[in-house]
Amino acid sequence: MKLSFSPKLSTFLKPSLVTNLHRSVCSSSISSPPPTSLIPQTPLFLKPPIHSAASSDLQKWHDWAKSLASSVGSTFVDLDNGPDSTLLCRELKWLMEDAIEEESEGLENNQRSIRLRVALEELYMLWKQRVEERRPFQYVVGCEHWRDLVLCVQEGVLIPRPETELIVDLVGDVVLGNEGLREGLWADLGTGSGAIAIGIGRILGTGGRVIATDLSPAAIGVAGFNVQRYGLQDVVELRQGSWFEPLKDMEGKLAGFVSNPPYIPSDDISGLQAEVGRHEPRVALDGGINGMDDLLHICKGAASMLKPGGFFAFETNGEKQCKHLVEYMENDAGGSFFNLKIVPDFAGIHRFVTGFHK
Amino acid sequence: MEAHLRPLCSPTAILCPKPSNSKLPQLLQRPTSFTSRFWYTVSTKLSSSCRFPPTVLLGTPDSQVSTGLNTDTREWAMQDFYFLRRDVETTVARVKETRDSACLQQLEQEVADLELKAADSSFWDDRAKAQENLSALTDVKDRIRLLNEFKSQVEDAETIIKLTEEMDSVDNGLLEEAASIIKELNKGLDRFELTQLLSGPYDKEGAVIFITAGAGGTDAQDWAEMLLRMYVRWGEKQRYKTRVVEKSQGEEAGIKSATIEVEGRYAYGYLSGEKGTHRIVRQSPFNAKGLRQTSFSGIDVMPLLPEESLKVDLPEEDLEISFSRAGGKGGQNVNKVESAVRITHIPTGVTVRCTEERSQLANKIKALSRLKAKLLVIAEEQRASEIKQIRGDVVKAEWGQQIRNYVFHPYKLVKDVRTGYDTSDITSVMDGDLEPYIKAYLKHKYSMKVTAAGVV
């Protein structure tokens, strides 16, 4: 089944139905939600600047927000490795960037009225949510800056992490000298906000295509918005369903696939940083008892999906999972892969497994 | 008035100058330039009628209408005339000096070369290069035009002086004219000199200022914040687009570091001399006993170069790129907006950091271009033709030497160590009044360069 995403941008900009979206999505059955209900929230920076505030009032808000951030100190760090005041102040600066129509030169002229994309009262509420409820900053502003992209995100969709930026580079490296891969058909399994699919869609050749799948209709909705925003409707196709399921017609045809599936062991979920554990979709994080349920499922399907010479790359929880998966692919998968590699992320943690199909 | 003017009315006074003064006829024969038009007006009016109001002489080509008669016609005392004559003499010398040091011949050769290139059929094949070429051509032509204007203007003033000397009487209007020529000319020379001083390859660009608090705890961090304010004020006064792109707060007060981007022509040229250690002496507000305390802050400045002008190839293996990421298991386990990137150029030890962008890749790209800009400047300073030739040991002296002292107590004084320029008006300086310091340093740097060139 193919979901088509051709509604005009104005449809996306309507804020109706949005507030309850993530809640309804989380509880909705996986099978067949009507696509019309998936209107993604407009990220703050794309909202029209129809509000305004005196610069003195905005300054008052800023001072309040800053002191709230400062009051945190290292409490969250000690509690669950959360953000400290410095990081919160950085977020505050970015929140201002997104909320204020033009970056103003300081806030010194008190008489000036400043155009805002959100009412001042809502700014108070948003920052309260950020600090007191630990709502992730990216959900507060509705977007995440990732690589050279600005992706819309919202509750119900995993916020793409900086580590994952590397997967696009890994694909970039293999398609560089290989026309077959560059002009081929790729898949991003569990695309979430569409980050990797869009990243790859932008580096493939003119003939290259990406099919991005996700179980969650919320994710499909958000990914559709992002694909549209980058004008990649003809390059990235979205299909709703679990892992390889919506790709049955593509068996043996894929030039490559990538995935950042849930890989956190179930027992670790409760101890996660509040921003992650309390607010991000569990379905995108929880990988079962040892965190490898979905990774193994994907590994099993890899051989039948990839065409000869096809490439794969996926993200893991670290060294232990990487080792285990490489062993699995070398032995149990009947030696149908070659050039298996473990690639560390920028922090030096063994994060990715890559390889080619024979 | 009439009596004063009468001798002038004799056409011979103007049209038959002494053989030694051959400038005037030349001027008369060139009807295109502003000055000659002026003289042309004078001579025709003189020959046709003696009864013109003196203000006509004074009129600029734009307004020959009589205005401000009273000020224009004030009587010139002999003393004033001598002052003016001295001013003219000094300006003549200054124009000569400027023209000599500008190497007019070389400039003309440059124009010829650039025009030859522009005439080439393949000129537009590389658009960027062609544009660069054309703007260089305009630049050089402008300089030559200015230098020629200086000469003709100063000659006009000189002629007036000579005329007045030859006549026994004084023509107020003419002398006013000469005085205003000299005044404008000196302004023009100032501007020209400043652009001469700013002739480094990156001087025209915008600038990035990095402020880092030195050791000394809260007092030093407070000092760093005072400097931040000072440079932001300076930028705003220059009408540069000034943005604080990164600021790391101190624990108690002040800042640990900050980054300012200053966009606008010549920002780097002006600011490059601010690089170094800035020292403050005061009764520290953070010191319970109110004792005198000395603190330091480091200022680093590099040009804000457009990506396409950074033609530096840095091999991957020469770079150590580290990403700050707050511990733990990373990946899905963590969500922090910590995307700082730090790049060290291993051969030279030069390190840059970028934290202000919102994604890792964006920070990396920005850090890399900052590193390139920094290496280019160091290469320029060390006169190395390639990055590879930069010596690491010279680079390592982090902010270089102490360049300026700001003493708040026991007396008030801001003194530049290099130029010796000082002022006791510390408030204005902290409000961004840095012009005199910047100009003094640029002149100092220029004279050092000239001396060095003279020795070789």
Side-chain angles (χ1 to χ4, degrees):
Chain A
M1 157 200 152
K2 182 185 163 184
L3 279 174
S4 76
F5 273 90
S6 53
K8 292 184 191 76
L9 202 66
S10 58
T11 327
F12 286 122
L13 297 179
K14 268 185 217 150
S16 57
L17 292 174
V18 158
T19 35
N20 286 323
L21 183 66
H22 71 274
R23 283 174 192 96
S24 64
V25 161
C26 291
S27 59
S28 72
S29 65
I30 291 151
S31 52
S32 59
T36 45
S37 70
L38 306 174
I39 302 163
Q41 216 165 328
T42 305
L44 181 55
F45 81 105
L46 287 179
K47 286 185 181 167
I50 49 171
H51 306 270
S52 73
S55 93
S56 57
D57 290 337
L58 191 65
Q59 180 70 56
K60 228 180 270 167
W61 168 79
H62 183 255
D63 293 345
W64 164 83
K66 206 169 160 184
S67 71
L68 190 61
S70 301
S71 72
V72 168
S74 63
T75 324
F76 298 161
V77 180
D78 302 337
L79 197 70
D80 57 15
N81 190 30
D84 64 2
S85 297
T86 311
L87 283 188
L88 288 171
C89 285
R90 186 173 295 159
E91 292 179 0
L92 179 60
K93 187 175 166 248
W94 294 343
L95 174 58
M96 302 251 297
E97 264 173 33
D98 281 5
I100 297 173
E101 190 200 12
E102 257 169 88
E103 212 185 318
S104 54
E105 315 282 312
L107 297 171
E108 273 159 38
N109 185 352
N110 284 347
Q111 304 309 313
R112 227 153 28 99
S113 142
I114 291 172
R115 276 146 72 79
L116 298 172
R117 300 180 191 282
V118 65
L120 192 61
E121 308 85 70
E122 206 173 333
L123 274 181
Y124 275 99
M125 194 193 72
L126 287 173
W127 192 245
K128 241 187 159 116
Q129 287 175 346
R130 173 67 194 105
V131 180
E132 288 173 5
E133 293 171 27
R134 306 278 305 270
R135 187 178 180 211
F137 171 72
Q138 296 88 342
Y139 290 160
V140 168
V141 292
C143 75
E144 160 77 334
H145 290 235
W146 192 83
R147 290 185 68 85
D148 49 350
L149 308 168
V150 182
L151 299 163
C152 156
V153 292
Q154 67 186 48
E155 265 87 358
V157 177
L158 184 82
I159 299 159
R161 305 289 199 264
E163 283 91 341
T164 314
E165 291 185 12
L166 250 180
I167 291 186
V168 180
D169 291 323
L170 293 172
V171 173
D173 288 346
V174 298
V175 301
L176 195 65
N178 188 326
E179 203 185 322
L181 296 183
R182 192 167 60 243
E183 304 292 335
L185 184 67
W186 288 71
D188 174 16
L189 308 173
T191 193
S193 62
I196 313 177
I198 293 169
I200 292 176
R202 279 153 58 98
I203 57 172
L204 290 183
T206 44
R209 296 282 179 275
V210 185
I211 303 175
T213 74
D214 206 292
L215 186 64
S216 148
I220 292 289
V222 168
F225 180 89
N226 287 323
V227 167
Q228 184 113 0
R229 230 172 71 75
Y230 284 96
L232 292 173
Q233 302 92 310
D234 299 333
V235 181
V236 180
E237 182 191 324
L238 293 158
R239 296 186 183 186
Q240 194 188 338
S242 172
W243 307 125
F244 292 114
E245 239 174 59
L247 296 175
K248 290 218 167 92
D249 55 330
M250 295 297 158
E251 267 182 36
K253 291 183 188 164
L254 292 183
F257 76 85
V258 293
S259 184
N260 176 22
Y263 53 62
I264 299 175
S266 302
D267 287 349
D268 291 0
I269 299 285
S270 62
L272 287 176
Q273 185 193 334
E275 282 81 2
V276 181
R278 262 195 247 159
H279 295 271
E280 289 196 277
R282 183 163 181 149
V283 66
L285 300 167
D286 190 342
I289 292 174
N290 60 3
M292 305 236 299
D293 287 4
D294 300 291
L295 279 166
L296 281 169
H297 179 80
I298 290 168
C299 283
K300 276 176 196 154
S304 64
M305 294 307 297
L306 288 172
K307 66 178 189 183
F311 174 82
F312 69 85
F314 42 75
E315 190 174 319
T316 76
N317 201 29
E319 193 177 352
K320 218 168 114 189
Q321 289 189 359
C322 281
K323 266 191 182 160
H324 190 101
L325 288 167
V326 169
E327 268 168 38
Y328 172 81
M329 296 200 93
E330 275 172 348
N331 307 321
D332 303 346
S336 48
F337 297 98
F338 70 101
N339 212 355
L340 290 161
K341 269 189 202 156
I342 293 174
V343 182
D345 64 18
F346 46 73
I349 297 175
H350 289 177
R351 180 69 61 197
F352 310 98
V353 176
T354 66
F356 292 87
H357 187 224
K358 276 185 187 160
Chain B
M1 286 305 289
E2 291 282 306
H4 283 160
L5 279 166
R6 199 144 291 147
L8 250 180
C9 293
S10 146
T12 47
I14 288 172
L15 297 175
C16 309
K18 281 186 280 183
S20 63
N21 182 9
S22 58
K23 286 155 191 163
L24 199 50
Q26 277 170 15
L27 281 170
L28 284 169
Q29 283 152 19
R30 288 184 312 169
T32 44
S33 87
F34 140 60
T35 43
S36 57
R37 242 184 295 139
F38 168 65
W39 279 104
Y40 188 73
T41 314
V42 172
S43 59
T44 48
K45 294 229 171 179
L46 284 174
S47 47
S48 60
S49 158
C50 294
R51 301 184 66 251
F52 56 88
T55 42
V56 170
L57 277 173
L58 259 183
T60 61
D62 303 311
S63 72
Q64 299 227 338
V65 192
S66 153
T67 50
L69 197 75
N70 293 338
T71 53
D72 292 342
T73 52
R74 87 182 159 90
E75 295 293 321
W76 278 76
M78 231 29 209
Q79 205 184 351
D80 292 336
F81 173 71
Y82 289 132
F83 277 131
L84 177 63
R85 189 173 66 181
R86 201 197 53 202
D87 282 352
V88 172
E89 277 163 10
T90 339
T91 313
V92 168
R94 199 175 163 200
V95 168
K96 185 175 182 314
E97 207 177 290
T98 307
R99 285 172 58 92
D100 285 351
S101 71
C103 301
L104 211 56
Q105 262 186 330
Q106 209 177 308
L107 290 178
E108 270 155 9
Q109 184 59 45
E110 236 173 280
V111 169
D113 289 349
L114 287 166
E115 276 175 344
L116 200 67
K117 271 191 205 163
D120 198 286
S121 57
S122 64
F123 182 69
W124 284 103
D125 292 355
D126 184 348
R127 269 199 103 75
K129 193 123 198 230
Q131 280 302 353
E132 210 175 280
N133 235 315
L134 285 183
S135 88
L137 186 62
T138 321
D139 265 11
V140 182
K141 276 187 170 167
D142 268 352
R143 292 171 86 81
I144 295 177
R145 186 181 51 83
L146 271 173
L147 287 166
N148 287 334
E149 269 179 29
F150 292 156
K151 184 158 176 259
S152 68
Q153 281 172 7
V154 83
E155 282 169 0
D156 288 351
E158 226 181 348
T159 310
I160 294 175
I161 297 293
K162 288 203 169 124
L163 275 175
T164 311
E165 277 176 332
E166 278 166 20
M167 306 174 309
D168 291 332
S169 55
V170 175
D171 181 308
N172 289 346
L174 275 180
L175 291 180
E176 288 289 350
E177 173 68 19
S180 98
I181 288 176
I182 292 299
K183 199 174 144 208
E184 285 307 311
L185 186 52
N186 273 306
K187 275 194 206 159
L189 284 163
D190 281 345
R191 274 195 300 272
F192 187 83
E193 260 176 25
L194 209 56
T195 53
Q196 277 284 90
L197 297 175
L198 295 173
S199 58
Y202 310 115
D203 285 355
K204 274 193 193 134
E205 310 290 344
V208 189
I209 310 173
F210 298 94
I211 303 172
T212 316
T218 310
D219 193 64
Q221 290 174 1
D222 184 55
W223 173 225
E225 188 162 31
M226 290 163 75
L227 287 174
L228 171 67
R229 183 179 170 279
M230 178 177 90
Y231 285 114
V232 169
R233 282 290 163 94
W234 177 83
E236 282 165 358
K237 278 186 188 172
Q238 310 301 310
R239 296 179 182 270
Y240 284 136
K241 194 176 166 207
T242 309
R243 291 188 306 144
V244 179
V245 291
E246 180 262 342
K247 194 160 84 170
S248 161
Q249 300 284 342
E251 283 90 5
E252 271 179 67
I255 53 166
K256 289 179 196 157
S257 67
T259 309
I260 314 171
E261 281 185 4
V262 187
E263 279 176 57
R265 270 170 80 77
Y266 288 110
Y268 178 71
Y270 289 125
L271 286 167
S272 58
E274 293 299 297
K275 181 177 161 181
T277 299
H278 296 238
R279 172 173 173 259
I280 184 178
V281 181
R282 64 169 169 179
Q283 272 182 311
S284 172
F286 306 100
N287 186 322
K289 289 174 192 158
L291 294 176
R292 196 145 60 101
Q293 189 168 345
T294 297
S295 289
F296 302 89
S297 277
I299 301 288
D300 197 358
V301 184
M302 62 182 72
L304 190 61
L305 296 177
E307 191 58 43
E308 59 274 13
S309 71
L310 292 166
K311 291 171 196 134
V312 187
D313 251 341
L314 297 176
E316 253 332 273
E317 61 267 25
D318 279 0
L319 301 177
E320 189 183 300
I321 305 180
S322 48
F323 302 83
S324 72
R325 181 81 172 135
K329 289 177 183 156
Q332 290 166 7
N333 300 275
V334 183
N335 173 15
K336 287 192 187 173
V337 294
E338 179 72 88
S339 53
V341 175
R342 187 189 157 93
I343 306 182
T344 303
H345 183 243
I346 302 164
T348 57
V350 172
T351 298
V352 293
R353 214 174 109 84
C354 185
T355 59
E356 66 258 23
E357 295 296 324
R358 284 163 76 162
S359 91
Q360 200 117 49
L361 187 74
N363 269 328
K364 186 179 159 191
I365 290 170
K366 201 160 185 180
L368 204 57
S369 66
R370 273 186 190 160
L371 177 67
K372 285 178 182 173
K374 195 165 180 173
L375 289 171
L376 279 173
V377 169
I378 296 168
E380 182 65 28
E381 279 167 2
Q382 296 191 4
R383 297 172 185 220
S385 56
E386 275 190 76
I387 301 293
K388 271 187 272 179
Q389 295 165 7
I390 306 176
R391 284 160 294 146
D393 49 335
V394 186
V395 171
K396 270 177 194 135
E398 192 103 348
W399 315 312
Q401 73 207 45
Q402 185 179 312
I403 63 155
R404 200 174 295 149
N405 288 312
Y406 304 72
V407 182
F408 286 74
H409 181 84
Y411 49 89
K412 291 194 187 332
L413 187 74
V414 182
K415 181 167 178 142
D416 197 287
V417 179
R418 303 159 301 181
T419 60
Y421 183 87
D422 65 35
T423 177
S424 56
D425 187 4
I426 203 161
T427 321
S428 298
V429 175
M430 295 317 294
D431 272 339
D433 229 340
L434 294 168
E435 286 309 284
Y437 290 91
I438 288 171
K439 275 189 188 150
Y441 175 72
L442 288 173
K443 284 193 175 152
H444 166 78
K445 192 170 93 176
Y446 187 68
S447 69
M448 300 275 279
K449 206 165 90 185
V450 170
T451 331
V455 169
V456 174

